[in-house]
Amino acid sequence: MNMQRINNFRMGGYLLLAVGLINLRYQTGKSDVLNHSLILIIPGVILLGLTFISAGKKWLNTKAATAMVIACGGLLLIYSFIN
């Protein structure tokens, strides 16, 4: 298994988790802030969890998974800025 790739995914999961928590903190008082933050936090936690499970690591080492994670992660980061 390519551990460098898995570590990159792990950092991406931490990134989504952190952005979601920062969003939650700095938008306190806005309506539906929890829902907007969970849209970022849940995929981050799922991605992070996949990096610790052997089946998840195996799946993340495929090109299809890499493309999907990069696309979804990028869209989620864009969402975090325009939200």
Side-chain angles (χ1 to χ4, degrees):
M1 267 186 222
N2 187 349
M3 284 309 293
Q4 179 63 35
R5 181 179 283 187
I6 296 302
N7 286 334
N8 289 340
F9 284 126
R10 202 168 279 159
M11 291 300 119
Y14 284 132
L15 172 70
L16 289 173
L17 181 61
V19 169
L21 292 173
I22 290 168
N23 183 50
L24 183 63
R25 171 61 184 105
Y26 285 104
Q27 291 192 17
T28 302
K30 284 190 171 184
S31 64
D32 292 331
V33 69
L34 183 61
N35 291 336
H36 293 295
S37 293
L38 286 177
I39 289 172
L40 299 167
I41 292 170
I42 291 173
V45 169
I46 291 170
L47 179 58
L48 191 58
L50 285 173
T51 65
F52 290 105
I53 302 169
S54 62
K57 288 180 188 178
K58 187 175 180 181
W59 180 73
L60 287 171
N61 273 311
T62 65
K63 287 185 180 186
T66 301
M68 190 166 57
V69 169
I70 289 172
C72 292
L75 290 173
L76 286 169
L77 284 177
I78 291 169
Y79 172 77
S80 73
F81 286 110
I82 62 172
N83 178 18

